[in-house]
Each structure stands twice: as C-alpha cells, then as structure tokens.
Amino acid sequence: MKTTTLIADSKRWSWVVVAMLSAFVMTVAPLVVIFGGSIDAPAVWVKTAVAGWGQGSDDLSFWYPRTAHDKLHGGLLVEGFDQESCHSRYQSAMYRRNPGRKPSEYLVSKLRRHEVLQRRCGPGTAAYSNALEQLKSGKNAASPECTYLVSISYRGLGNRILAAASAFLYALLTDRVLLVDPSNEMDGLFCEPFLNTTWLLPRGFPLWDYPGFYLDTAERYGKMRENGVLRTDVMTGSSAAPEMPAFAYIHLDYNQTEYDQLFFCDEDQQMLLNFQWLLMRTDSYIVPGLFFLKAFQEELDMLFPERDTVFHHLGGYLFHPTNHVWGLITRYYRAHLAWAQRRVGIQVRVFPWQAESPELLERITTCTQEEGLLPGVLDTEQPAVSTAKTAPSVKSSAVVITSLKAWYYEQMKSMYWENATANGEVVVVNQPSHEEFQHYGVKSHEYKAWAEIYLLSLTDMLVTTGKSTFGYVAQGLAGLRPWVLLNQQANGTAGHNQPCSRDMSMEPCFHIAPLYDCKRLKGSGTIVPHVRHCEDVPQGLKLVE
C-alpha cells in the first residue's frame, strides 16, 4: 500500500500502522543492539510516527527533516563545495521550519565578487606572499595589490562569532581579504566559508611575535591619532605617507578610548585606506557603528534593504558547523525536537557563582505562559496561568533549555511532568548539557556550546537572556525576534517590570556605542533612523527595520 493512501485514510488505518511499527521494532531492536545503535531510537521513532498518524496529518516533518528546501538560502551560498567535508552547509535548511529572509540580489553578487578576491589574494597566492614580505619589512606598501583585515579571536564563543561577522562586513565594504585568527577553536568549529581558499590565518604569521595587541601597542590606531603620529589634515588618501607603520591595530575592546572610536568617523576611514594590513580586536557586534559612516551608507542600503537582517544573512553565510558539531546537533534534533508540533528554545544565561534563582524561574515560566509560548499547568493549590494566546491546534511542544546550570531545566521538567497542562498539550522539556562552568579553550565545551546555539536557532519560538551574545547569535541565525528576559534593574527600558519583552529586532546589540559626531564627541542613537538603543543594554545600539 502506498504511503499517500495510508496518510489519506489515517484514522481507519492507524491501528494497522501501530501493529506494523510494533512488529518492526520487535524485529529490529536486537539488531540495533548488535550493531551498536541506540536502543532508545526505535521507541522515539514509534512514538513520533504513531502520534503523527493518529492526528491524521500529512506533514511528515515530525519524522524526518523536510526535503523541499532551499539549500543555497536564496543564493547566499554557492555550489561547488565538497559536501562530505561539511554536511551542515547544504543540509541545514532541511532542519528549519522558518525559511528566513531572502538576501538582496546585490548582497549575493557582492559575496560572489568577494569570494574571487579571497581566492586571488588569500593564503597560498603570490599576492599574499608579497604582502607578508612587505609586512616583515616594517614599511607600509604605497600601492598594494591586495589589502587585508585580520580578526583577533578571543573571549566566549558568542563574542567570537559576532566579532568575526562584524569584521567580515567591514572587509566586504572596504574590499579587504578577511583572515580569522584560528585560535580558540575557530578552525574546529566552523567550515570554510570561501570556496577553494581559506579564511584562517596561516601559522607563522609574523605579527604573532608581538607580545600582544592591546592599549600599549605602538601601532594602535587610537594611540597614533592621540599622539599626532597620524593626522587627517595631512593625509591625501591617495598614497601612504613614508613614516606610516606597516600595519594599524584597531582596538575596540571594552576599554577603548574616544580616540579608538574614531574608527567610526569618515575622515579616519579615509586614512585607514592607506594601510595594507589592519588587525582588529573586538568582542562586540560593531555593525551598527558602521551604519553611521556616510562613506558606507549607500552600499549598506543596497546590501541590506531590510536593516534588521544583517547578522541573519552574514551568519548564515559564514558559520556552518563542522561535521563533528553537526552530528551533535542532528542527533539531538531527531531524538528531542523532530517529533513536536512546536519547538521552544529557552536560553538561560547565569554565571557559575550565582545561586539558583526562583525569581528568574518564575519570570521564565510566567513569560512563556503569558505570551502563549507554552501552556499553563493545572495545580490543586493555584489556578492555571491564562493561556489565551496559546494556539488551540498545538498538541505537543518540545522545549530545549540551554544553561550552564541544570536546576532551571529540572524545575521546568518536573512542572510539566507532575502537572497536567490546562489545554491538554503534551510538553517535554530537555537540556543538552549542563557544564556548570564556562571552560575557555576546552574543545568539548566549545563544541557543545556551538551545538546548543545552533539548536536554539532551529526552534519556532525563542526566549533569551538579556545582554547574552549566546542568545544574540541564536536569534540571528534563526531569523526570529525573541522574547527577552530583561534585567529587573535595567532602568529606562520599556517593559523592564514585565517578566520578558519582545525584542524590537532580531539583530544583536552593540554593547559599547560609538560616537556619531566625530568633532563634538556627542552620544549616538538618534542620528540614524534605523539604529536604536537596545532594551537589554540601554547604552547599546541595534539595527531595526
């Protein structure tokens, strides 16, 4: 009997299906054990298949990822990669119910041109070798064939992802080759984004002999501007001055000075064009600051006509999990998410030294129930929370919680296990891992963190913790505006007395706002209509549509 016939008459044949599947599992279960498979897999398979057929649904996405998908993401990605070397690049679209936003044709064409630049000037080419020799000489190239931007990787994974995306956009706008510092597992977490070349800075890069790049680095751009070594009134922008160093170091860390923030001024951008090599240190999403630059505004308008899609597109282009991480993602997805009609992600950012907070748990449960993300529960002592916003057709929800601590997961799991839901909905709560502490530089920890960010991005609804770059990356990849758990002491933010607030944009927040008036050093946030202050970080900036 054909599958289509079975689905069309699912109610009549459901008992046959149950019998067939049960017999099948009885047959294959011993084989699963013999060949080392998971003994839990058949049980999950039967449960989800029977549940789907019992509802008479013709949607098989509860069982397998959907096959009708745009694996190139509207032209964002390019054909030609070895699929075996990076399964996630062309498979990820199968796991997303939300197809995301479509990139502009101009962005697609710009990416294709930039890929040519990366291949022509990247590591292993004659142009790159010549540029390295020029760098070793200590002198700046007057008319370089190719120019370069090196992104320094440091701090947590979310920070590194946002910094790399920011550096790539700047490289795209200034026609520079992007090279990413491979330390902190940047080479083990992500597939190569550029065809037939690498974005990883090769070993032996001469500047790594420096003691480090920080405030006291002589070539720090802000320091050179402050000391008068570089002056905009004597630079022509057409040729490099003889006394200019071989590179400039852009310092945009938390302790950046107002002179470092001159990076976001047009005259200074004109001066930076004279450097063949730029090194950028930031752990922030600096993209909103680039929208202040008049020199980039026309190009940015064409690249991103929808202002709130910058990281959504850049993240989807750059960050593809390596095969090991993709295995973590897909195995969890099939076991814990694929069966549910609705998938809800909850990201709880707490620090190891913080005690478990019943108040935060209350905010999470109140937020998810009042906003209709999850149903209320029937309790003998207290009435159920109103679920007026909950879709009545939803009968099953899978919740994935990501947190260093297990306590929040345990509490929510117990709540939905020990109490019936007000609308009869089945809610299953899971947590992939609970590491308790953030382990910098530990491979297994980094792999799990990246897998959990990606799993959050595969959900239908998302709750995040304010100020968390982990959550920013997930919401951007997902193309979702999350419900944000705001700091109750965040004065001046709309809705800070509520358990959560719907974010105005899926874009990440730039925590340390740049100066928009480069002469009067005034505050930012009102000069560009599509840049607003963030709710979770009132002094920060984010792009909105």
Side-chain angles (χ1 to χ4, degrees):
M1 181 173 293
K2 295 183 180 180
T3 303
T4 52
T5 304
L6 182 62
I7 294 174
D9 200 11
S10 59
K11 292 183 179 179
R12 174 179 153 195
W13 286 95
S14 60
W15 67 271
V16 178
V17 173
V18 174
M20 291 173 61
L21 291 176
S22 300
F24 176 78
V25 173
M26 292 296 291
T27 302
V28 301
L31 296 178
V32 173
V33 176
I34 291 173
F35 290 103
S38 170
I39 196 169
D40 295 330
V44 173
W45 182 66
V46 170
K47 177 182 70 174
T48 57
V50 172
W53 270 312
Q55 293 169 12
S57 171
D58 61 356
D59 178 13
L60 298 183
S61 63
F62 63 83
W63 189 0
Y64 286 117
R66 59 192 176 93
T67 55
H69 63 281
D70 176 15
K71 69 176 184 178
L72 298 182
H73 300 271
L76 198 66
L77 307 183
V78 65
E79 291 272 21
F81 281 93
D82 175 16
Q83 298 190 31
E84 288 303 310
S85 66
C86 182
H87 296 155
S88 66
R89 187 189 315 277
Y90 299 133
Q91 292 180 9
S92 61
M94 293 192 298
Y95 291 81
R96 294 194 184 280
R97 289 175 177 170
N98 174 21
R101 307 278 192 90
K102 188 174 181 179
S104 68
E105 292 183 3
Y106 187 77
L107 173 59
V108 172
S109 64
K110 183 76 171 180
L111 291 173
R112 300 294 88 85
R113 294 195 300 272
H114 191 82
E115 290 160 359
V116 173
L117 174 66
Q118 293 278 154
R119 287 191 290 270
R120 180 170 59 84
C121 300
T125 64
Y128 180 76
S129 298
N130 293 336
L132 279 185
E133 291 303 316
Q134 187 70 43
L135 183 62
K136 293 176 183 176
S137 72
K139 298 179 181 179
N140 193 46
S143 300
E145 178 184 359
C146 305
T147 56
Y148 299 85
L149 173 66
V150 176
S151 176
I152 299 174
S153 303
Y154 69 113
R155 292 213 172 100
L157 178 58
N159 298 84
R160 301 201 302 273
I161 291 176
L162 296 180
S166 300
F168 177 64
L169 178 57
Y170 182 65
L172 205 65
L173 293 169
T174 56
D175 293 322
R176 290 182 177 273
V177 173
L178 174 66
L179 295 172
V180 175
D181 170 15
S183 62
N184 292 301
E185 296 305 317
M186 295 297 283
D187 55 344
L189 294 168
F190 310 106
C191 301
E192 292 280 0
F194 306 125
L195 183 63
N196 296 328
T197 186
T198 181
W199 72 332
L200 298 174
L201 188 68
R203 295 180 181 275
F205 185 61
L207 293 186
W208 286 167
D209 294 335
Y210 269 56
F213 293 94
Y214 218 60
L215 289 173
D216 57 350
T217 301
E219 291 84 359
R220 178 168 65 88
Y221 182 76
K223 185 174 184 178
M224 291 189 289
R225 288 285 280 117
E226 184 178 7
N227 295 341
V229 175
L230 297 178
R231 293 171 50 193
T232 57
D233 58 345
V234 298
M235 299 301 299
T236 64
S238 59
S239 62
E243 67 275 10
M244 290 179 67
F247 70 94
Y249 162 56
I250 310 299
H251 181 83
L252 297 176
D253 206 353
Y254 73 97
N255 57 356
Q256 60 191 275
T257 69
E258 61 183 32
Y259 288 95
D260 291 312
Q261 290 194 346
L262 292 176
F263 173 82
F264 297 101
C265 299
D266 282 287
E267 288 184 346
D268 291 83
Q269 280 299 321
Q270 188 69 20
M271 183 182 296
L272 288 169
L273 291 175
N274 294 290
F275 287 94
Q276 183 176 22
W277 288 91
L278 294 180
L279 278 75
M280 179 182 291
R281 179 186 178 91
T282 184
D283 66 344
S284 298
Y285 184 67
I286 69 169
V287 167
L290 299 179
F291 276 77
F292 291 149
L293 289 154
K294 294 179 181 179
F296 297 154
Q297 284 180 2
E298 183 178 355
E299 184 83 350
L300 288 169
D301 287 345
M302 293 188 292
L303 289 171
F304 305 104
E306 295 179 295
R307 300 297 197 281
D308 60 342
T309 63
V310 179
F311 182 77
H312 179 59
H313 293 318
L314 297 185
Y317 176 77
L318 289 173
F319 305 113
H320 307 287
T322 53
N323 286 348
H324 175 70
V325 179
W326 188 239
L328 298 177
I329 294 166
T330 54
R331 285 190 294 273
Y332 185 94
Y333 176 96
R334 290 179 181 275
H336 301 290
L337 294 178
W339 61 273
Q341 286 181 293
R342 175 172 55 187
R343 305 160 190 163
V344 179
I346 302 176
Q347 182 251 341
V348 186
R349 178 64 168 107
V350 289
F351 293 98
W353 59 83
Q354 292 177 313
E356 287 78 7
S357 171
E359 184 271 338
L360 176 56
L361 177 65
E362 177 67 20
R363 280 199 284 146
I364 294 170
T365 56
T366 303
C367 171
T368 53
Q369 292 172 11
E370 287 187 348
E371 296 298 331
L373 280 65
L374 293 173
V377 296
L378 295 174
D379 190 285
T380 56
E381 297 180 0
Q382 296 179 352
V385 178
S386 172
T387 57
K389 294 184 180 180
T390 304
S393 60
V394 175
K395 297 300 181 183
S396 61
S397 291
V399 181
V400 54
I401 294 180
T402 65
S403 178
L404 289 174
K405 295 178 178 290
W407 185 80
Y408 298 93
Y409 149 69
E410 294 286 356
Q411 296 299 312
M412 288 198 68
K413 181 186 72 171
S414 296
M415 179 180 70
Y416 282 108
W417 181 30
E418 297 173 6
N419 302 279
T421 57
N423 63 352
E425 180 180 338
V426 174
V427 179
V428 179
V429 183
N430 282 287
Q431 180 174 357
S433 71
H434 46 89
E435 299 283 281
E436 299 302 325
F437 296 92
Q438 188 164 347
H439 305 283
Y440 292 102
V442 177
K443 285 186 178 181
S444 61
H445 182 83
E446 297 284 358
Y447 294 161
K448 290 175 184 177
W450 180 211
E452 291 185 8
I453 288 175
Y454 213 90
L455 283 167
L456 287 174
S457 79
L458 298 179
T459 58
D460 308 314
M461 300 173 175
L462 190 57
V463 177
T464 63
T465 304
K467 301 184 181 181
S468 173
T469 57
F470 196 101
Y472 292 163
V473 175
Q475 70 195 43
L477 293 177
L480 297 174
R481 285 194 302 125
W483 283 264
V484 184
L485 301 167
L486 297 173
N487 186 340
Q488 297 295 285
Q489 284 74 44
N491 295 325
T493 60
H496 68 275
N497 290 322
Q498 302 172 1
C500 63
S501 176
R502 190 74 185 273
D503 205 330
M504 68 183 80
S505 165
M506 63 183 174
E507 276 285 293
C509 177
F510 181 12
H511 288 176
I512 304 175
L515 310 167
Y516 80 80
D517 190 322
C518 297
K519 295 181 180 178
R520 290 176 290 169
L521 305 180
K522 294 176 68 175
S524 53
T526 57
I527 191 66
V528 182
H530 42 269
V531 177
R532 289 286 181 270
H533 285 295
C534 313
E535 271 194 300
D536 55 338
V537 184
Q539 71 274 18
L541 298 175
K542 74 184 311 172
L543 294 168
V544 299
E545 179 58 31

